[in-house]
Amino acid sequence: MTISISALRAGAQTQLDAITLFRTIYDYVPDTAPATPAAIVGNVSLDWDEANSRGLDRATFSVYVVVSRMSERSGQDTLDALLAGSGSSSVKTALEAGGNLNGSCSTVRVTTASPISITMGGADFFAYEYEVETYG
């Protein structure tokens, strides 16, 4: 299977759409502040030829979950649900459901979630960065 960057982005967006807590899901990095809570599929890194001369490629990308402005406490409750390792609001569960990001890869695994802050549209947002690893 050849990995297509646009198919990975679209597949991640489709999988994340199962989480009803998100108001907005982007398959690109927007230049304006999103309606929160939001998920943003980041840029994709590729490692070609992991096995057998084009037999296996590896792609990694980040998904940014933007919850609220830094000054709002209510974002923590939403974030707790999104950070769960399983369940209907779990980002990890949504991305790994079906195991192939809507057919865009052979295997997908969410490896980490790390707290970050993002500045968009002149405002600081509380967010988490999820690292996603795919093979195809």
Side-chain angles (χ1 to χ4, degrees):
M1 166 181 273
T2 301
I3 291 179
S4 161
I5 293 173
S6 59
L8 279 179
R9 290 174 171 283
Q13 183 182 29
T14 298
Q15 293 300 112
L16 291 167
D17 195 41
I19 299 175
T20 59
L21 289 175
F22 288 131
R23 291 178 63 194
T24 313
I25 302 168
Y26 298 91
D27 65 349
Y28 62 94
V29 179
D31 61 354
T32 59
T36 59
I40 301 166
V41 179
N43 294 324
V44 178
S45 297
L46 292 169
D47 294 314
W48 291 291
D49 305 329
E50 290 285 311
N52 301 327
S53 300
R54 304 294 309 131
L56 182 67
D57 294 337
R58 176 177 178 262
T60 58
F61 60 94
S62 295
V63 170
Y64 302 97
V65 172
V66 183
V67 179
S68 64
R69 292 180 188 257
M70 292 294 276
S71 60
E72 296 175 11
R73 287 185 54 106
S74 63
Q76 189 63 52
D77 291 336
T78 301
L79 187 59
D80 290 348
L82 295 168
L83 280 169
S86 62
S88 63
S89 296
S90 167
V91 170
K92 179 176 176 57
T93 297
L95 288 169
E96 292 179 349
N100 63 13
L101 288 179
N102 209 30
S104 63
C105 60
S106 298
T107 304
V108 61
R109 186 172 74 111
V110 179
T111 58
T112 62
S114 303
I116 60 170
S117 64
I118 295 177
T119 302
M120 299 177 79
D124 293 329
F125 290 89
F126 186 51
Y128 262 73
E129 179 180 9
Y130 291 77
E131 290 295 322
V132 182
E133 179 178 75
T134 65
Y135 290 90

